[in-house]
Amino acid sequence: MDADGTRALTSTLLPQPHSIDASGPARAVPRHFALRASSDVDAEEVVRTARSHFESAGCTLLVGTPTSSDAIQVSLSLTHTQGAQSYRLRSGAREITIEGGDAAGLSYGLTTLSQIVSGCIEQRIPFPSLTIEDRPDFPRRGFLLDISRSKVPTQATLFALVDWMAYLKLNELQLYTEHTFAYRDHETVWRDSSPLTGDEIEALDRHCRERHIELVPNQQSLGHMHRWLKHERYRHLAEVPEGIAHAFSREREPYGLCATDPKSLVFLESLYDELLPHFSSSRFNVGLDEPVDLGLDRSKALCAERGAQRVYLDFVRAIAERVRAHGLRMEMWADIVVKEPALAREIPADVHLLEWGYEADHPFGDHLAILAESGHTFSVCPGTSSWQSIAGRTQNALANLRSAALSGKAAGASGYLITDWGDRGHLQPLSVSYAGILAGAACAWNAESVSSRSFDLGAELDRHAFRDDARVLGKVATQLGDVYRTTGASSTNGSALFFLLAFADEALPHARMPGLRASDLDSTSETIRELRATLERARPRAADSALIVDEMRWAADVLAFACRFGIARLGARAAASARDLRAELTPLIAEHGRLWNARNRPGGRIESADWLTRVAGLL
């Protein structure tokens, strides 16, 4: 294969291998593969993970001797000298060999082989003789999904997500939890949330393990406990029982546990005792981020005497003791730690720190230097930029994900965790987050590959998520995710078009969307209309393809409504009437419910829709 052919083939692989040498004779693309494994390899396990990847490419993968003349033998063996998760793939004239550093490495090698076959078919090029040497930049490559801001996916949605994660060579899943586990005797908290049960967690845990993915338990343990503390039964545990105004509720509510009350630790210990036995993971993320009310009321005197950071540190140490008692390694968010380098050095040495930040210019490098200096292991945690946007923020997501990967690799981070949040109703459909998940997976495996300008996110989505032969849906999704940039408004942690709806009862101009102009909203609306029309040419083949198209249509229609609503709020001439806007919004609220039910449990749907029904009420 010549250099052009090699580049064409390489462009179809995701994540990008670190080393690929395609030289020697090529042949017709094989469609049938027979797997032969050495005695120390569980062939059935590897096939179970990889078979669907070959089927998606229109091929078959069997265990045993080739049964047809056009089948090709694939030999698998372990070679631990290559290191965990690594693989070497060689394609010769009559046989393909894959050597893996472990079972995960073999699985990753087979996944790459399935992509090579698919890429050859797509590019209409012959199957090459090649050698690939590959291993990940980050040993831990995870995805965190928020299941506490209204939206809890069905088991079918979670299982399908895990399967796609395995295809993208991700190996860790966390489900961010505040109140959506069905704790015994705490039904008051989760009654309307359709929580996950212990049996469901165990089934998901098994599904993950079979695909070399670790399901890491996650339970908030200080701040972000308002879902509990707003109920009278738990209010006595709050730092401010009377409540505070905070960013995660429209109501004034108790927000965080009182860090100086021993009863808070007893309460958390009871949750851990019930939650943790359902997981096989050796890790536990206890949160501990954004304790915005620490020192405001019940702990005020002690914080004044000893300092809020010292009180926080004592609480961290107490939590670490309890996690250690379960035989687990504690993980926690590092936003408080990076503010005070001396504090970082006093965090227990076995605690793994999680550095998070979601804007394109987040100072990952500066913060990771503090964590590296402290001697702790740590992960870098960018985001999909999907939340508070309806359709995403494509360019911000790419810049944030790239920066996190490059900074994390340079600083020696052992993990890369892609986060996907649900602030203010989790209104973005799951397919909107596919762009960030895919780009993040590519970054986590090979950081430099996504820093290249040649990385075409729309094409990668069409190839590895939507499977759109028309090459339309990826372009629409990425461009729809950037229309907010043409509104004239600058915004962080969300888009101006979303904030027009979320803060519909607050006057313009608004601090969350400075610079908003009616003329720009008008042109943005026209761009959305064009993208909406283009969407009809999409021909995706993904299992959820019809749903993806419907979700993208809905996202486009909500953004278009937000433009017209914004024009009316700005008092521009020829603005739509309140009656017309209400008539336009009503079916969008109904469609929100239909799309919600297609992927998610019923709990939280009304709460999520309320962010739209409030707008209808104002009209």
Side-chain angles (χ1 to χ4, degrees):
M1 179 180 290
D2 60 21
D4 289 341
T6 301
R7 282 193 294 271
L9 176 60
T10 302
S11 71
T12 67
L13 306 181
L14 189 137
Q16 287 277 296
H18 282 80
S19 171
I20 180 168
D21 177 20
S23 59
R27 61 171 177 269
V29 181
R31 297 302 184 99
H32 305 286
F33 297 84
L35 202 62
R36 180 177 62 202
S38 59
S39 59
D40 55 351
V41 174
D42 185 344
E44 292 297 336
E45 174 190 350
V46 176
V47 168
R48 181 174 55 241
T49 302
R51 178 173 283 138
S52 63
H53 305 160
F54 282 81
E55 291 173 350
S56 295
C59 303
T60 59
L61 177 65
L62 305 173
V63 176
T65 304
T67 56
S68 61
S69 59
D70 61 344
I72 187 168
Q73 187 84 65
V74 181
S75 296
L76 302 182
S77 62
L78 292 173
T79 171
H80 299 292
T81 57
Q82 289 182 224
Q85 304 186 57
S86 65
Y87 68 91
R88 179 187 296 119
L89 189 158
R90 292 192 183 98
S91 169
R94 295 180 178 275
E95 186 181 50
I96 295 170
T97 63
I98 301 176
E99 300 170 297
D102 54 12
L106 290 175
S107 178
Y108 298 150
L110 274 174
T111 297
T112 298
L113 177 59
S114 73
Q115 291 185 5
I116 291 171
V117 174
S118 182
C120 289
I121 295 170
E122 175 192 326
Q123 301 285 339
R124 299 183 179 181
I125 56 179
F127 190 81
S129 296
L130 53 74
T131 299
I132 291 177
E133 301 268 0
D134 206 10
R135 66 190 308 163
D137 283 343
F138 296 89
R140 297 177 61 191
R141 303 170 307 284
F143 175 58
L144 179 150
L145 178 65
D146 183 352
I147 64 166
S148 283
R149 276 69 177 261
S150 306
K151 185 179 289 184
V152 182
T154 63
Q155 283 290 85
T157 298
L158 290 171
F159 277 38
L161 180 62
V162 167
D163 291 344
W164 190 48
M165 288 174 61
Y167 174 82
L168 295 174
K169 300 186 174 78
L170 294 171
N171 65 355
E172 179 180 326
L173 173 63
Q174 295 192 27
L175 301 176
Y176 170 81
T177 305
E178 295 173 357
H179 68 300
T180 47
F181 176 76
Y183 288 105
R184 295 186 301 272
D185 302 324
H186 297 296
E187 186 177 353
T188 299
V189 175
W190 51 256
R191 179 184 297 119
D192 299 323
S193 302
S194 300
L196 291 170
T197 67
D199 288 345
E200 288 172 328
I201 288 290
E202 291 178 18
L204 181 61
D205 189 89
R206 286 192 298 271
H207 193 75
C208 286
R209 286 200 312 273
E210 290 171 355
R211 287 149 184 81
H212 307 288
I213 292 172
E214 182 177 2
L215 180 64
V216 177
N218 184 305
Q219 173 60 61
Q220 272 290 8
S221 303
L222 182 57
H224 295 282
M225 291 294 285
H226 55 104
R227 299 278 193 170
W228 294 80
L229 301 175
K230 68 181 181 180
H231 299 285
E232 285 303 319
R233 177 182 172 186
Y234 309 96
R235 191 179 294 266
H236 69 283
L237 298 172
E239 168 66 20
V240 187
E242 295 75 20
I244 64 169
H246 61 90
F248 302 96
S249 174
R250 289 196 297 268
E251 306 298 328
R252 187 180 180 90
E253 294 174 341
Y255 171 78
L257 294 169
C258 178
T260 57
D261 186 344
K263 293 187 181 67
S264 294
L265 292 172
V266 173
F267 166 69
L268 291 171
E269 197 167 6
S270 71
L271 299 188
Y272 299 169
D273 287 345
E274 184 174 348
L275 174 70
L276 296 176
H278 299 290
F279 294 80
S280 62
S281 175
S282 62
R283 301 172 181 273
F284 179 27
N285 184 348
V286 298
L288 303 180
D289 60 310
E290 298 184 312
V292 297
D293 57 351
L294 180 64
L296 291 186
D297 190 355
R298 296 177 61 205
S299 68
K300 185 175 183 178
L302 193 57
C303 286
E305 176 187 339
R306 303 188 62 220
Q309 290 181 334
R310 182 61 52 182
V311 171
Y312 177 78
L313 177 61
D314 288 345
F315 190 78
V316 169
R317 286 173 169 165
I319 293 293
E321 288 178 7
R322 284 152 177 81
V323 174
R324 207 175 293 121
H326 282 274
L328 302 179
R329 184 168 185 184
M330 185 173 111
E331 300 187 351
M332 59 175 283
W333 302 109
D335 51 311
I336 304 304
V337 175
V338 297
K339 294 176 182 177
E340 181 52 61
L343 180 67
R345 290 189 288 271
E346 295 192 59
I347 296 290
D350 59 342
V351 172
H352 184 83
L353 300 175
L354 305 169
E355 162 60 15
W356 59 270
Y358 309 129
E359 294 305 308
D361 59 353
H362 183 76
F364 284 115
D366 293 341
H367 290 181
L368 293 177
I370 295 171
L371 302 187
E373 175 65 22
S374 74
H376 290 83
T377 61
F378 54 91
S379 293
V380 60
C381 309
T384 62
S385 298
S386 65
W387 58 96
Q388 299 191 138
S389 72
I390 304 295
R393 296 188 293 150
T394 306
Q395 291 305 311
N396 184 81
L398 273 175
N400 178 243
L401 292 160
R402 286 167 171 162
S403 173
L406 295 172
S407 297
K409 183 179 179 181
S414 60
Y416 183 99
L417 183 64
I418 309 156
T419 61
D420 192 63
W421 302 102
D423 299 25
R424 293 189 169 92
H426 212 141
L427 286 172
Q428 76 275 14
L430 180 61
S431 58
V432 166
S433 298
Y434 287 179
I437 299 170
L438 182 147
C443 288
W445 186 274
N446 186 343
E448 282 79 8
S449 67
V450 185
S451 64
S452 168
R453 290 184 179 274
S454 63
F455 184 80
D456 185 338
L457 180 55
E460 300 291 359
L461 283 167
D462 281 332
R463 184 176 294 118
H464 299 291
F466 305 143
R467 304 193 184 279
D468 184 9
D469 296 328
R471 296 293 184 262
V472 167
L473 193 51
K475 180 179 180 181
V476 170
T478 54
Q479 292 187 358
L480 196 61
D482 270 339
V483 295
Y484 78 98
R485 302 176 71 209
T486 66
T487 61
S490 59
S491 57
T492 58
N493 202 36
S495 76
L497 294 175
F498 177 88
F499 293 139
L500 276 167
L501 305 177
F503 301 111
D505 55 347
E506 299 183 21
L508 296 177
H510 194 280
R512 296 301 298 266
M513 38 191 153
L516 192 69
R517 294 187 294 266
S519 58
D520 290 322
L521 287 173
D522 190 53
S523 61
T524 299
S525 178
E526 178 61 22
T527 299
I528 295 169
R529 187 193 67 78
E530 293 171 357
L531 289 171
R532 175 68 158 76
T534 303
L535 186 60
E536 303 310 312
R537 302 204 305 268
R539 296 294 180 267
R541 294 182 290 107
D544 57 346
S545 57
L547 183 56
I548 292 170
V549 172
D550 284 348
E551 288 174 339
M552 291 295 169
R553 288 190 185 110
W554 182 83
D557 290 345
V558 173
L559 292 181
F561 169 82
C563 288
R564 288 185 279 278
F565 181 58
I567 292 170
R569 289 186 63 189
L570 289 166
R573 293 180 179 177
S577 69
R579 176 182 294 179
D580 290 342
L581 288 169
R582 187 167 56 249
E584 182 180 351
L585 182 57
T586 299
L588 293 178
I589 296 172
E591 181 69 351
H592 165 274
R594 186 185 75 83
L595 295 176
W596 181 286
N597 291 335
R599 292 196 194 268
N600 307 292
R601 300 162 192 241
R605 180 177 60 82
I606 301 301
E607 177 186 305
S608 175
D610 186 57
W611 288 92
L612 299 176
T613 55
R614 285 178 66 252
V615 177
L618 293 170
L619 293 169

